[in-house]
Amino acid sequence: DGGGEIAAMSGGDALQRECDAWAAGGRAVELWWRDDDAVGDTAALRRLLAQTRVPIALAVIPAGLEPSLPALLKNHALVSVLQHGFDHRNRAPAGGKKSEFPATRPWPEVADDLAKGRGRLADAFGRQFVPALTPPWNRIDPGHAAQLGALGFRGLTTYLPRKMPTKVGVTQVNTHVDVIDWHGTRGFLGLEATLQLLVQHLAAKRLGQADPAEPTGLLTHHLVHDTETWEFLGALLDWCAKRPVIKWRSAADLFPGAGSE
């Protein structure tokens, strides 16, 4: 079966042991799934939606939004829409790490773009839109992040474990398992390496080294998936479906009070 690929790997043994440890403690293994860079109806997005049997949060770029996307998503009850910046353009100073919202960008300009993008997505997706910001490249200046609540945002999601307690003023739920090898092949990170990221965050939470209340986030980018990435996702979903200790959380649930105003 699809999950057999995972069960056969040493990383699969480690993941099984980790799930058993959570079950022995009477706690669910909580996961969530974020996929970035959606703008329109594509073959890759259709493939993702066809594969998905659990809640998924699509981070949509407002400036690039095509009418085909709301039309496609309206029949998919498991899909939530998050805001992926405004135009996904790098504004960092020369030599700085890529960011649409660096400290050097004036807040009024940031606020204007974010509000414009939020309005666009709320109009297009209605109750499917969850007002949580996914900053491009998973970066936003802390000073900007601290003002998100005033713009009507209820959440923020980046990459790597959130700090305990969070200080951004909105609910922060990050992702921890990026399946793409961005610094190497730009293809699938690999089965062992991906499972290691998953096990590491679960173990850190269980041992109190990371916030135990933060669901472990899977991060994907449907537009760049290669064959191995698609195969892994299918295998992971199959594997998880057979283990009742694993619970997938929805973005609407993670960022409470979300939905159209």
Side-chain angles (χ1 to χ4, degrees), residues 136-187:
W137 302 287
N138 293 295
R139 293 188 191 104
I140 183 170
D141 170 65
H144 295 336
Q147 301 184 77
L148 289 174
L151 290 181
F153 285 93
R154 298 199 182 94
L156 172 67
T157 170
T158 60
Y159 190 68
L160 298 178
R162 69 187 180 193
K163 295 186 168 48
M164 300 187 288
T166 60
K167 295 187 174 65
V168 294
V170 293
T171 302
Q172 184 171 14
V173 184
N174 290 346
T175 53
H176 314 88
V177 184
D178 189 339
V179 303
I180 303 298
D181 180 14
W182 294 107
H183 301 294
T185 64
R186 297 183 73 84

Side-chain angles (χ1 to χ4, degrees), residues 113-138:
D113 267 4
L114 287 176
K116 195 162 41 175
R118 183 172 176 266
R120 193 172 292 185
L121 297 182
D123 289 347
F125 296 100
R127 295 192 61 79
Q128 269 184 308
F129 175 55
V130 174
L133 178 67
T134 305
W137 302 287
N138 293 295

Side-chain angles (χ1 to χ4, degrees), residues 1-92:
D1 70 324
E5 177 190 353
I6 287 173
M9 302 289 290
S10 59
D13 291 342
L15 183 57
Q16 182 62 62
R17 286 195 300 273
E18 192 56 40
C19 288
D20 291 346
W22 280 81
R27 298 159 71 195
V29 171
E30 293 195 336
L31 305 179
W32 80 291
W33 186 355
R34 193 186 98 208
D35 183 275
D36 289 2
D37 299 339
V39 289
D41 180 347
T42 62
L45 182 55
R46 284 179 176 259
R47 183 170 183 176
L48 184 78
L49 296 175
Q51 196 172 38
T52 304
R53 303 182 296 280
V54 299
I56 186 166
L58 280 185
V60 176
I61 304 167
L65 178 62
E66 299 168 7
S68 62
L69 189 60
L72 175 66
L73 297 186
K74 68 173 189 276
N75 299 317
H76 290 274
L78 290 172
V79 176
S80 299
V81 169
L82 308 180
Q83 181 170 339
H84 201 23
F86 177 67
D87 57 18
H88 209 302
R89 280 181 48 214
N90 180 26
R91 306 302 206 294

Side-chain angles (χ1 to χ4, degrees), residues 202-216:
L202 289 171
K205 290 194 298 180
R206 184 171 52 80
L207 299 171
Q209 296 158 0
D211 188 338
E214 182 177 31
T216 298

